[in-house]
């Protein structure tokens, strides 16, 4: 039996973020192929983490900058190691390479952190983002190095694959498109969704530890919501999200119909009972879990070009895409009031989920690709000279920095 070791940045919280849901999808993918799965993390336990034992996954706490990990991973001797975001590869990649040289090293990027941060910086400097911004983004140097050191990086966004291959000249052999893996929406399930008449209110759902979400809620409150309320004076905007800070809670204004609800214990139920999802994201990266969830719940959405990036291919969106605040408000009102537009948008979401994210489209090909990669691992690494070079220098630098920190901590 093959063993998969996942080194997690945090313990999975699928009810807090799309990243948590994505991780459970990857766990299920490998479990279905017969892997035994061990999830290790240096993070503290949280009140909202899943019980990994219920998924047939062993849980292991590990320490940063500590040789105890070396003994653990050497004894485990996994056939595949999956790093959850580049920060975990930075911390533990060299230890895996040194103690388990034959293990296939995978990186789940989630989204390109350097892209999100460069866009955020451009937004805050009130200028348009340019791809050249990535060349001076410090995180880019770390993230691209991590991608090069790994045997394969799992990418959730086709746009980001194009960016990596053109801007950073990454070999396509190091990248694999594996988006959200969803169960198709059947006709019977679609028919059971709440009807247009049974739904009410606008909704936004997003983890507030994620800066693009906080910025989007500010933008809603200050700019877009007043434009909507001019047309719909009784409208209600429900804001849900894990880990709301005091600055988020201060936006709660019942007289304006703008309600901060905090964590949604049953997010799909909340979204299914709402009429329209609003997601005016002004920077970010990756694929947006909140908008996938809207489609699964049969809830049309209005979002921005950043929000819809790489999500729908050539298919029509399940609502509207615009970066103009007045148009955003007008189209939100149209979806809320016009049943015909709403039903068309809802159906578009069904098509997007079934034609772009159905797990059956990806599982078999991914398994074959991993097996072929394992069978040809030595040649694959020889073809990635820059990655091999980076791994060599990482072993020579990061290794001794980590050893120094370990000795200092003693």
């Amino acid at each position: 039996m093959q063993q998969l070791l996942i080194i997690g940045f945090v313990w999975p919280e699928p009810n807090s973020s799309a990243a948590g849901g994505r991780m459970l999808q990857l766990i299920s993918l490998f479990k279905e192929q017969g892997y035994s799965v061990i999830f290790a993390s240096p993070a503290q336990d949280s009140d909202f983490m899943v019980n990994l034992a219920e998924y047939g996954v062993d849980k292991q706490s590990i320490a940063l900058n500590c040789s105890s990990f070396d003994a653990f991973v050497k004894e485990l001797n996994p056939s595949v190691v999956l790093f959850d975001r580049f920060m975990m590869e930075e911390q533990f990649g060299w230890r895996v390479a040194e103690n388990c040289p034959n293990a296939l090293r995978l990186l789940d990027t989630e989204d390109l952190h350097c892209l999100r941060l460069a866009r955020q910086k451009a937004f805050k400097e009130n200028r348009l983002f340019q791809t050249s911004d990535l060349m001076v983004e410090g995180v880019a140097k770390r993230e691209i190095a991590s991608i090069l050191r790994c045997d394969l990086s799992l990418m959730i966004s086709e746009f980001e694959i194009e960016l990596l291959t053109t801007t950073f000249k990454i070999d396509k052999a190091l990248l694999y498109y594996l988006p959200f893996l969803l169960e198709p929406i059947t006709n019977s399930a679609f028919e059971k969704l709440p009807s247009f008449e049974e739904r009410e209110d606008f909704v936004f759902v997003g983890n507030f530890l994620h800066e693009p979400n906080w910025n989007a809620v500010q933008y809603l409150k200050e700019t877009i919501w007043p434009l909507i309320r001019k047309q719909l004076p009784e409208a209600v905007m429900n804001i849900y999200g894990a880990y709301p800070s005091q600055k988020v809670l201060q936006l709660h204004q019942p007289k304006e119909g703008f309600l901060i609800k905090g964590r949604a214990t049953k997010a799909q139920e909340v979204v299914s009972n709402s009429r329209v999802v609003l997601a005016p994201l002004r920077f970010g990266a990756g694929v947006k879990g909140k908008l996938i969830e809207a489609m699964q719940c049969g809830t049309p959405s209005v979002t921005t070009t950043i929000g819809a990036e790489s999500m729908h291919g050539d298919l029509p969106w399940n609502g509207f895409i615009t970066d103009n605040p007045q148009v955003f408000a007008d189209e939100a009102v149209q979806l809320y009031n016009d049943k015909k537009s709403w039903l068309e948008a809802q159906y578009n979401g069904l098509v997007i989920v079934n034609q772009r994210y159905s797990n059956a489209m990806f599982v078999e090909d991914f398994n074959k690709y991993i097996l072929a990669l394992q069978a040809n691992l030595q040649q694959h690494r020889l073809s990635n000279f820059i990655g091999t070079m980076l791994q060599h220098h990482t072993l020579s630098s990061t290794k001794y920095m980590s050893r120094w920190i370990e000795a200092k901590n003693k």
Side-chain angles (χ1 to χ4, degrees), residues 20-220:
R22 159 74 166 178
M23 182 51 69
L24 291 186
Q25 290 169 11
L26 293 177
I27 287 171
S28 296
L29 173 62
F30 280 96
K31 290 287 289 182
E32 287 167 8
Q33 300 304 322
Y35 283 76
S36 64
V37 180
I38 301 93
F39 194 104
S41 178
Q44 296 293 317
D45 287 4
S46 80
D47 294 335
F48 303 103
M49 59 190 280
V50 297
N51 182 356
L52 289 167
E54 293 180 359
Y55 294 85
V57 175
D58 293 333
K59 177 178 178 286
Q60 177 69 44
S61 292
I62 52 177
L64 298 171
N65 302 305
C66 183
S67 56
S68 60
F69 178 83
D70 299 346
F72 159 71
V73 78
K74 194 167 189 175
E75 182 179 355
L76 185 66
N77 194 27
S79 42
V80 181
V81 176
L82 174 66
F83 302 103
D84 169 28
R85 287 164 269 202
F86 79 92
M87 299 82 81
M88 291 298 94
E89 189 280 334
E90 280 186 328
Q91 286 286 342
F92 297 99
W94 67 270
R95 293 183 184 274
V96 171
E98 189 173 70
N99 291 286
C100 306
N102 297 321
L104 182 67
R105 299 190 297 272
L106 305 180
L107 173 64
D108 186 39
T109 57
E110 294 290 350
D111 64 13
L112 274 185
H113 292 63
C114 61
L115 175 62
R116 171 161 44 85
L117 293 172
R119 280 175 167 168
Q120 181 176 331
K121 184 177 180 181
F123 170 79
K124 293 194 171 180
E125 293 175 356
N126 197 29
R127 58 180 177 80
L128 290 175
F129 164 78
Q130 297 178 319
T131 53
S132 57
D133 292 338
L134 292 167
M135 298 305 180
V136 295
E137 173 56 55
V139 168
K141 297 175 180 63
R142 296 168 53 198
E143 191 166 22
I144 299 306
S146 183
I147 288 170
L148 286 165
R149 284 192 298 263
C150 287
D151 298 312
L152 193 69
S153 289
L154 308 183
M155 306 297 302
I156 205 165
S157 163
E158 293 159 313
F159 173 83
E160 291 176 8
I161 291 177
E162 181 70 17
L163 190 70
L164 288 172
T165 55
T166 56
T167 301
F168 293 106
K169 313 301 181 188
I170 303 289
D171 188 340
K172 284 188 176 180
L174 298 177
L175 308 172
Y176 192 92
Y177 177 59
L178 194 69
F180 288 125
L181 304 170
L182 307 177
E183 291 294 329
I185 303 172
T186 62
N187 288 334
S188 59
F190 190 67
E191 290 167 1
K192 291 176 184 176
L193 291 169
S195 67
F196 176 83
E197 291 81 8
E198 291 171 324
R199 297 168 181 249
E200 61 181 3
D201 300 342
F202 295 91
V203 71
F204 173 94
V205 181
N207 188 317
F208 287 110
L209 296 179
H210 194 54
E211 183 67 20
N213 288 334
W214 160 237
N215 181 269
V217 170
Q218 280 183 298
Y219 185 39
L220 262 174

Side-chain angles (χ1 to χ4, degrees), residues 227-278:
L227 298 173
I228 292 174
R229 286 275 286 194
K230 279 183 181 178
Q231 300 180 61
L232 298 174
E234 302 303 316
V236 174
M237 180 75 229
N238 294 311
I239 305 291
Y240 289 90
Y243 303 108
S245 64
Q246 188 58 39
K247 65 182 180 181
V248 176
L249 297 174
Q250 286 176 349
L251 298 181
H252 183 71
Q253 295 290 337
K255 290 182 180 179
E256 298 173 15
F258 200 89
L259 308 180
I260 306 297
K261 297 290 190 75
R263 179 184 291 271
T265 52
K266 295 181 179 179
Q268 288 215 344
E269 185 177 305
V270 165
V271 177
S272 294
N273 289 317
S274 301
R275 192 172 288 180
V276 180
V277 166
L278 302 182

Side-chain angles (χ1 to χ4, degrees), residues 104 368-380:
L104 182 67
K368 288 179 180 177
Y369 198 90
I370 292 299
L371 291 173
L373 204 53
Q374 288 177 309
N376 195 40
L377 189 55
Q378 185 176 358
Q379 184 57 47
H380 179 76

